[in-house]
Amino acid sequence: GEDVEQSLFLSVREGDSSVINCTYTDSSSTYLYWYKQEPGAGLQLLTYIFSNMDMKQDQRLTVLLNKKDKHLSLRIADTQTGDSAIYFCAEANAGNMLTFGGGTRLMVKP
Amino acid sequence: DADVTQTPRNRITKTGKRIMLECSQTKGHDRMYWYRQDPGLGLRLIYYSFDVKDINKGEISDGYSVSRQAQAKFSLSLESAIPNQTALYFCATSDGLAGGYYNEQFFGPGTRLTVL
């Protein structure tokens, strides 16, 4: 079955890098996503990576994918207080449906 | 204006009451979804619809029903609400015509439901 796991909390200081980790179990996953949820709002797509890629960089965001270990990470460089939110990883299965992890709450301290 | 809207945004109700949560979208997407969010459990899929005549159960459909009144509208009903249905509910849409398996979903702002 499908299972996506994330740690619940991460606390960093402003200006440091944040690394949020995710593990998944479905080896047939084609796309893997990172969504961001700010307080009182719905989820918004942050970035995604196709399963045949190892890395994707988009400004301050770097996504690393290790297919062998089924491990996905999101690195946020120069973390700002506005990055405080809950981050969800999600995998798309063969039926094109998303399975979400439990979310990691990122707290950025000034 | 928001592309995906949900009403109400907050609702407090009592055990046994019937509740309807509504979702509307202006994105022109065929696919619509209902999820519930509980702390630490992420989002779990309740029901989804790939077009007006298509309704499918998700992971946790027991105690819920849905209606796809039009391409733009997808409603979620709790026929007899119970306290463990207290949660944050999200509607989402996606474009069924997107190529391959790319399936970005666009989320509404959520409805916070409390069942006493």
Side-chain angles (χ1 to χ4, degrees):
Chain A
E2 300 161 4
D3 197 13
V4 181
E5 296 189 351
Q6 306 175 234
S7 53
L8 286 179
F9 296 103
L10 177 65
S11 179
V12 300
R13 293 217 172 269
E14 191 172 20
D16 289 348
S17 292
S18 307
V19 179
I20 302 171
N21 294 301
C22 173
T23 58
Y24 61 97
T25 58
D26 188 350
S27 59
S28 66
S29 295
T30 51
Y31 282 92
L32 294 127
Y33 301 84
W34 283 104
Y35 278 84
K36 178 182 181 182
Q37 183 184 28
E38 297 187 359
L43 279 69
Q44 191 167 18
L45 182 66
L46 199 57
T47 187
Y48 67 93
I49 189 167
F50 189 50
S51 59
N52 69 352
M53 298 169 65
D54 298 324
M55 185 181 83
K56 180 179 180 181
Q57 188 151 4
D58 183 3
Q59 299 182 331
R60 292 190 298 123
L61 305 178
T62 303
V63 179
L64 296 177
L65 176 60
N66 182 328
K67 283 195 72 175
K68 176 176 173 289
D69 295 338
K70 298 189 183 68
H71 183 266
L72 181 73
S73 68
L74 173 69
R75 179 177 180 270
I76 305 173
D78 186 25
T79 312
Q80 304 297 307
T81 55
D83 294 324
S84 293
I86 302 177
Y87 291 82
F88 293 91
C89 66
E91 61 175 351
N93 66 16
N96 205 16
M97 301 301 292
L98 297 183
T99 300
F100 287 87
T104 299
R105 183 178 295 275
L106 174 64
M107 180 182 297
V108 182
K109 298 179 180 178
Chain B
D1 290 339
D3 295 319
V4 185
T5 57
Q6 293 183 233
T7 56
R9 292 295 311 278
N10 289 281
R11 181 73 183 266
I12 299 174
T13 191
K14 294 183 179 179
T15 297
K17 293 292 187 181
R18 184 178 187 273
I19 297 296
M20 179 180 285
L21 309 183
E22 299 187 350
C23 176
S24 294
Q25 53 115 347
T26 59
K27 299 190 76 66
H29 287 168
D30 287 325
R31 301 183 175 192
M32 298 187 74
Y33 312 80
W34 275 104
Y35 293 92
R36 67 175 278 175
Q37 182 183 13
D38 299 278
L41 295 179
L43 275 73
R44 292 182 291 166
L45 184 63
I46 306 172
Y47 271 94
Y48 62 101
S49 168
F50 281 179
D51 64 43
V52 174
K53 296 181 180 179
D54 176 75
I55 300 288
N56 303 282
K57 292 183 178 181
E59 180 187 351
I60 53 165
S61 60
D62 288 349
Y64 302 94
S65 63
V66 290
S67 173
R68 184 81 185 266
Q69 300 96 322
Q71 188 205 36
K73 295 184 181 298
F74 193 35
S75 300
L76 176 72
S77 293
L78 287 68
E79 296 301 325
S80 180
I82 56 176
N84 76 1
Q85 291 177 312
T86 293
L88 193 53
Y89 289 85
F90 286 103
C91 173
T93 74
S94 69
D95 182 1
L97 296 179
Y101 291 97
Y102 183 63
N103 184 30
E104 179 180 356
Q105 294 187 13
F106 296 84
F107 285 79
T111 295
R112 185 169 296 280
L113 177 66
T114 303
V115 183
L116 301 176

